[in-house]
Amino acid sequence: MALTDEAINKIKGMVTSGELGPGDRLPKEADLAERLGLSRNSLREAVKALSLIKILDVRQGDGTYVTSLAPNLLLESLSFVVDFHRDDTVLEFMEVRRILEPAAAALAAERMTAEQLTGLRKVLGDLGPDPSVEALVANDLEFHRLIAEGAGNSVLCSLIDGLSGPTVRARVWRGLTQDGAVDRTREQHQTIVEAIEGRNADLARSWTTVHIAGVEDWLRRALR
């Protein structure tokens, strides 16, 4: 095992064991290196790596701290990683959306507050009668983000948010080339909102599945 990897694992062990908790300050570099049996260079590289993935927060002149370890923070790097996807994997991202987002809609039907529902309705109303493709896609992204947020599960919300990026180009492509895409999107969004407002989790799940599967099916045929 590389020395840096060993250092990462040892710090990780301190966090997962509860020895270091969210917001705790790490011991001074020299003390920690001696305690873990590591060189200061290996420890420094490990801290740098763990700070990049939001496990540690290096504060110049103050010290190094464990972050809040909140799911949205830890999964932030997912968005960065998925930006490197290849075009031939976009269908796989669509499949994952089809698995996760109907579940989020079902939870939203049970958990969304009146204020959140008002915000979701506003997104529907913000889309004018003849929107550009760019406006439609931006509206669509916000619509799905609000539903994921309304599910009341920060891990699920972060995963959905992180996975939305790779499908943006496909959404634009569909809006430009498929007849009736704008009206279909608007109508399906409306039915999803009505299901959520009616607190009908099964219906919200079903309509969201139809909505995403329709885009996935179009993309699958287009790529052939």
Side-chain angles (χ1 to χ4, degrees):
M1 180 185 294
L3 292 177
T4 300
D5 290 342
E6 181 184 358
I8 289 172
N9 283 335
K10 287 186 175 181
I11 297 173
K12 175 185 173 184
M14 294 176 71
V15 176
T16 56
S17 70
E19 184 177 350
L20 286 173
D24 285 350
R25 187 180 187 277
L26 269 65
K28 292 181 179 179
E29 184 183 89
D31 295 339
L32 186 59
E34 181 179 359
R35 175 178 166 185
L36 298 179
L38 300 167
S39 71
R40 293 179 69 170
N41 281 340
S42 296
L43 179 61
R44 202 170 292 130
E45 289 301 314
V47 167
K48 187 184 299 182
L50 290 170
S51 67
L52 287 173
I53 58 173
K54 311 297 185 181
I55 302 295
L56 298 179
D57 178 22
V58 180
R59 305 175 190 173
Q60 294 299 327
D62 186 9
T64 299
Y65 293 79
V66 180
T67 67
S68 66
L69 303 179
N72 63 319
L73 187 66
L74 298 182
L75 291 171
E76 191 176 289
S77 56
L78 176 64
S79 297
F80 178 80
V81 172
V82 299
D83 282 342
F84 290 96
H85 78 286
R86 303 185 311 274
D87 285 344
D88 60 353
T89 63
V90 68
L91 271 173
E92 295 181 10
F93 283 98
M94 288 300 303
E95 288 176 350
V96 176
R97 282 191 63 209
R98 178 165 46 82
I99 292 168
L100 295 181
E101 294 200 35
L107 287 173
E110 298 172 351
R111 300 175 178 176
M112 250 188 163
T113 65
E115 184 179 354
Q116 288 174 322
L117 283 168
T118 298
L120 192 60
R121 272 287 178 193
K122 183 179 183 301
V123 169
L124 284 183
D126 284 344
L127 197 63
D130 189 26
S132 66
V133 172
E134 292 77 12
L136 175 69
V137 172
N139 187 272
D140 185 56
L141 288 169
E142 179 65 5
F143 179 82
H144 287 279
R145 187 192 69 78
L146 289 178
I147 291 176
E149 188 177 89
N153 184 308
S154 59
V155 175
L156 182 58
C157 183
S158 297
L159 286 171
I160 290 172
D161 188 50
L163 291 168
S164 65
T167 65
V168 169
R169 277 191 293 177
R171 287 161 155 165
V172 171
W173 183 19
R174 179 185 182 230
L176 288 170
T177 61
Q178 188 183 33
D179 289 339
V182 174
D183 289 339
R184 191 175 297 107
T185 297
R186 194 196 303 270
E187 290 169 4
Q188 290 175 349
H189 281 187
Q190 177 69 33
T191 56
I192 291 168
V193 170
E194 289 173 358
I196 293 173
E197 285 181 329
R199 303 301 182 184
N200 191 325
D202 289 338
L203 193 58
R205 180 187 291 108
S206 297
W207 272 116
T208 305
T209 301
V210 168
H211 177 52
I212 296 175
V215 181
E216 181 187 347
D217 182 61
W218 169 83
L219 182 60
R220 196 179 299 278
R221 287 184 281 108
L223 290 174
R224 287 174 185 163

